[in-house]
Amino acid sequence: MNTKILTSEKRIIDLKDMRIGKENLPIFIAGPCAVESEEQIIKTAVALKEIGVDILRGGAFKPRTSPYDFQGLGIEGLKYLKKAGQLTGLPIITELIDLSYLDIVCEHADIIQIGSRNMYNYSLLKAVGKSDKPVLLKRGMSATIREWIMAAEYIASSGNENIIMCERGIRGFSDYTRNTLDLAAVPIVKQKTGLPVIVDPSHGTGKRELIMPMSKAALACGADGLMIEVHCNPDEALSDGAQSLDIDQYRKLKIALK
Ligand code: PEP
Ligand code: MN
C-alpha cells in the first residue's frame, strides 16, 4: 500500500520555538475544556504561561452529548482565545467540528483539533489535510488503532503531514472511569508511524485524581506530550469540570513531571 503515514521516519512538527515530537521533550498543552468568557480564558492563560505551559487549549465549538448543554461561545470564543494567545505569546489549539468554520478556525488558531467524534468524518479530515496548520487528531472513542492511523492517512494524503496523534481513551466496560486510556497505543502508533503521539488523561479517565498517575505513565511509555484540562474553578466549569485540574493542582503536576 502506498502510504505517507506508515513509515518509521520520524516527523517533528516545528511550531514557533517548539519541536513537537522531539525525543525527551514532552509538550504541555493545557486549558479549559471550553472557553467560557474573555476573563476566564485570559486569567487561565496568564496563570498557565507562568507555570510553563507550551500551548493553550480551549474549545469554542463544543460537541456535547446533549443539545441542551453548553455548546461553546463559537466565533466569540475564538476571538477571546486569540486574544489570550497574543497576550501571553502561547500558541492556541481549538477544535473544529464543522467544515464551514475551517477558515475562521485557521485564522484564530495555531493547531486545529479534530475531536474523537469527528475522527471518522472523512470530508473534515480531507479539508484539514488541505490547510497549512498542524492538526491534532484525537482517537475515535471506538476506533481501532488501524482506523485511527488511517484517519491520519486521510489528512496526510490530502497534503498535510503535520499531524499529532492524541490518545484520549476508548469506550470499555469500566464502571469507574469515563474511558479506558489505552497507553499501549502510544508505543504502537509511534512504532508504526513517524508521528508524535500525545495523551489526554482528562478525557482518558474522566477523573481529576487519576490525571497525575496517568500522566506519569504516559510519559514513561514515550508520549510526546500531555493535553490536560485546567479550569480556574472546576466546580463551576460549564463542561468537564470533574476531569479538570485547578491552577494549583496543575502547577503541582507540572513540577512532579519535571
Ligand atoms: C475536548 O478535548 O474537550 C474534547 C471534546 O475531547 P474528545 O474529542 O476527546 O472527546
Ligand atoms: Mn472536554
Side-chain angles (χ1 to χ4, degrees), residues 10-14 18-27 164 190 194-198 222-225:
K10 246 190 120 32
R11 228 172 297 253
I12 291 179
I13 296 161
D14 288 304
M18 268 175 289
R19 306 214 69 208
I20 305 171
K22 188 159 164 37
E23 231 126 329
N24 302 322
L25 210 75
I27 295 294
I164 305 159
K190 281 175 69 81
L195 302 176
V197 182
I198 72 157
D224 295 293

Side-chain angles (χ1 to χ4, degrees), residues 33 57 62 203 229 240 243:
C33 179
R57 67 149 285 152
K62 295 306 304 174
H203 293 86
E229 290 185 330
D240 287 351
Q243 60 187 44

Side-chain angles (χ1 to χ4, degrees), residues 110-139:
D110 300 285
I111 304 178
I112 306 169
Q113 177 173 324
I114 297 294
S116 189
R117 290 157 190 78
N118 274 311
M119 192 213 80
Y120 293 108
N121 186 339
Y122 298 124
S123 48
L124 198 59
L125 300 178
K126 285 185 196 167
V128 296
K130 292 196 184 81
S131 90
D132 58 357
K133 298 274 168 167
V135 177
L136 182 133
L137 178 63
K138 288 193 138 194
R139 181 176 181 177

Side-chain angles (χ1 to χ4, degrees), residues 181 183 199 201 204-205 209-219 226:
L181 190 61
L183 287 182
V199 170
T205 66
E209 65 272 23
L210 297 178
I211 292 177
M212 172 81 90
M214 298 321 285
S215 295
K216 289 180 177 168
L219 295 184
L226 294 167

Side-chain angles (χ1 to χ4, degrees), residues 167-170 179-184 199-201 203-205 214 218:
E167 164 61 40
R168 50 76 73 202
I170 46 177
N179 289 294
T180 296
L181 190 61
D182 180 14
L183 287 182
V199 170
D200 171 353
H203 293 86
T205 66
M214 298 321 285

